Amino acid sequence: MTDTPDDRLDQPPLIQALLLARYTLVIHNGMTVTSEGESWRLDFAAELATIDAALQNAGIDTTKPMLAPVRWTDAD
């Protein structure tokens, strides 16, 4: 059995925004960044938990895979 990802564009705008924010934070969570000679690890665990709670409250299954956001142009 394969779970197919939900298309965020099938959701209301607020849910779309939360799914996009979640996707972005998941991708960057745990990355090490360096600026002006200092390095630190990004930790968005608390923010992801808050977004997941809001999405679950709206009936969205946050255990399903997420689709990467794609911007299609008219030429595509």
Side-chain angles (χ1 to χ4, degrees):
M1 179 202 285
T2 304
D3 283 339
T4 56
D6 287 332
D7 187 349
R8 70 179 178 85
L9 297 178
D10 292 339
Q11 302 295 333
L14 179 59
I15 301 301
Q16 288 182 32
L18 287 172
L19 289 169
L20 180 59
R22 183 175 187 269
Y23 181 88
T24 304
L25 292 178
V26 164
I27 294 299
H28 291 91
N29 193 40
M31 283 186 172
T32 300
V33 296
T34 303
S35 178
E36 298 181 6
E38 298 287 328
S39 295
W40 64 94
R41 191 174 181 96
L42 298 176
D43 180 5
F44 296 115
E47 290 79 6
L48 286 166
T50 300
I51 291 171
D52 282 355
L55 288 169
Q56 290 165 2
N57 196 28
I60 303 297
D61 181 0
T62 58
T63 64
K64 281 189 166 182
M66 293 181 288
L67 291 174
V70 176
R71 296 189 195 273
W72 299 103
T73 63
D74 290 338
D76 294 338

